Amino acid sequence: MPGEPESMNSVVPVASLSPADSPRIGGLNGDHVRTLAGSGIGFDPILVERESGRVVDGMHRLPATLLRGEKDIAVRYVEGSPAELFIMSVQANKGHGLPLTLKDRKAAMARILASHHEWSDRAIAEVVGVSPKTVGAARGKVSTEENPHSNGRRARRGRDGRLRPVNMHQRREEAQSLLTQRPGATLREIAEKAGVSISTVHRLRQAAQDEPDGEYAQGESVLSVTAAPGEDLAATSALTDRPPRTTHVTSARTSTMSSQDAARARALRALSNDPSVRFTDSGRMLLRWLNTQAVELAAGERLLAAVPAHCLRAVADVASHYAREWERLAGALQQGDGRLEAQ
């Protein structure tokens, strides 16, 4: 981004200054000059490029000063390349004085796209005063082989000055990598570093928590919650609205699996194939809830392995309480018609 003006003001003759590279396509507005001259209000210092004496911001104040019969004007010097000075002029005109017209702002947008092609749509939009969508549409129109500055670039510079991938898939991959490298970071920290929204980071973190495979030490992973050995994975994939996952189990766990795993998978498959469950909102919520319980139980085994010895009894009491509630729920369902009274 362009540098800041100097803090010290100087007073110079109006005749010593050169016209600005103004973003105003139509030039000076005579009515605005006369209004300024007759206002009786002191003018803020105008911005002037030190080396050339070219006005960066304040072209209306120059003739207004002369109309007041004054020959000198307060200035504040700035430095930068011609492209940077133009951006400074656009920012200054957007912040005060006679507003730039939409035509002025779009013309300025096109110039900045050409000179600062690595800037993001949002960064250019903030400077010019248009929407990021408007910048994106203009960038797409000028994207040609002769203009490699547009959609073909791999990264763009944001408002904070950092480069971020243009491709959203690359941004999500970066966010996933950061979630792995910095498990203690907040959603906002990951989002700002990867250049994605907080909601995107939240979804990625949730997806990682729902996919326990590969997270276990020494290569151990849990059995897929929707299938037992020999079961059809595709038949039960509707429980999570995601493609079926490959089942991974260690040889030790395979040898200890009971028929209960297969029975559970068959019951879940029967529920997912039942139209009264599958094609109703409450039914789909039930399937997801049941599936979540299985995932949580599997993940719980890893967490329980790290419980300190002196906390085992307390954790066991909590687990026993939940087990009794599940038994009560199962017993009520087996004896009744599925309508339970809240307790």
Side-chain angles (χ1 to χ4, degrees):
M1 295 289 180
E4 293 294 326
E6 291 184 357
S7 58
M8 297 295 293
N9 299 336
S10 301
V11 177
V12 301
V14 172
S16 67
L17 301 177
S18 303
D21 180 15
S22 175
R24 300 184 188 277
I25 298 175
L28 295 180
N29 184 307
D31 290 338
H32 186 60
V33 171
R34 287 186 287 273
T35 299
L36 288 175
S39 66
I41 299 175
F43 297 148
D44 291 334
I46 66 173
L47 302 183
V48 175
E49 200 274 316
R50 178 184 294 277
E51 187 172 338
S52 66
R54 182 179 292 273
V55 175
V56 175
D57 174 56
M59 280 302 298
H60 284 101
R61 280 168 278 175
L62 281 180
T65 298
L66 294 176
L67 284 178
R68 287 181 174 183
E70 301 173 5
K71 295 182 179 180
D72 297 329
I73 190 169
V75 304
R76 186 171 295 175
Y77 289 113
V78 296
E79 296 179 352
S81 67
E84 291 172 339
L85 293 175
F86 178 77
I87 291 173
M88 194 178 297
S89 176
V90 174
Q91 289 177 308
N93 278 281
K94 189 187 73 170
H96 64 81
L98 185 66
L100 295 175
T101 67
L102 179 59
K103 189 175 181 179
D104 293 337
R105 285 179 278 138
K106 286 188 174 181
M109 174 186 66
R111 282 189 59 172
I112 297 173
L113 272 172
S115 64
H116 289 72
H117 45 76
E118 76 281 5
W119 281 14
S120 69
D121 295 347
R122 193 174 296 277
I124 295 176
E126 182 174 327
V127 169
V128 177
V130 296
S131 72
K133 289 184 178 180
T134 299
V135 179
R139 191 190 296 271
K141 290 180 181 179
V142 298
S143 179
T144 65
E145 293 182 359
E146 290 74 23
N147 291 293
H149 57 268
S150 295
N151 296 331
R153 294 187 62 88
R154 297 182 60 186
R156 294 184 189 144
R157 193 173 302 279
R159 292 174 294 175
D160 57 0
R162 295 176 52 205
L163 285 173
R164 291 188 175 86
V166 175
N167 188 296
M168 192 59 196
H169 178 69
Q170 293 177 349
R171 295 190 187 190
R172 284 193 290 266
E173 286 185 341
E174 182 180 354
Q176 286 178 318
S177 177
L178 289 170
L179 284 169
T180 302
Q181 297 169 10
R182 302 173 56 186
T186 65
L187 297 179
R188 183 177 298 279
E189 290 171 343
I190 298 295
E192 290 179 352
K193 193 166 184 65
V196 297
S197 67
I198 294 176
S199 61
T200 296
V201 180
H202 177 70
R203 287 194 298 270
L204 291 173
R205 178 172 284 177
Q206 284 295 112
Q209 293 173 346
D210 290 344
E211 297 286 345
D213 293 352
E215 297 178 354
Y216 289 79
Q218 300 176 352
E220 181 179 352
S221 59
V222 299
L223 178 67
S224 172
V225 300
T226 57
E231 289 294 321
D232 182 7
L233 287 172
T236 55
S237 64
L239 295 177
T240 58
D241 291 336
R242 295 196 302 264
R245 294 181 295 165
T246 304
T247 301
H248 300 284
V249 293
T250 62
S251 57
R253 295 198 64 183
T254 302
S255 62
T256 60
M257 286 180 185
S258 67
S259 60
Q260 294 178 352
D261 297 307
R264 182 192 65 194
R266 284 194 295 271
L268 290 172
R269 182 168 61 179
L271 287 170
S272 67
N273 289 333
D274 190 313
S276 64
V277 176
R278 184 168 188 163
F279 299 114
T280 62
D281 290 339
S282 60
R284 286 191 292 269
M285 290 177 62
L286 172 65
L287 292 173
R288 293 191 187 97
W289 179 71
L290 290 172
N291 191 62
T292 300
Q293 306 313 306
V295 173
E296 294 298 332
L297 284 172
E301 295 183 17
R302 176 166 57 99
L303 297 174
L304 293 175
V307 175
H310 66 278
C311 296
L312 290 175
R313 180 173 294 277
V315 176
D317 289 342
V318 175
S320 296
H321 169 76
Y322 288 140
R324 287 193 297 271
E325 289 300 306
W326 272 102
E327 287 290 343
R328 180 188 66 80
L329 179 62
L333 289 169
Q334 290 172 352
Q335 295 176 10
D337 59 1
R339 290 191 290 271
L340 303 175
E341 294 181 1
Q343 295 189 359

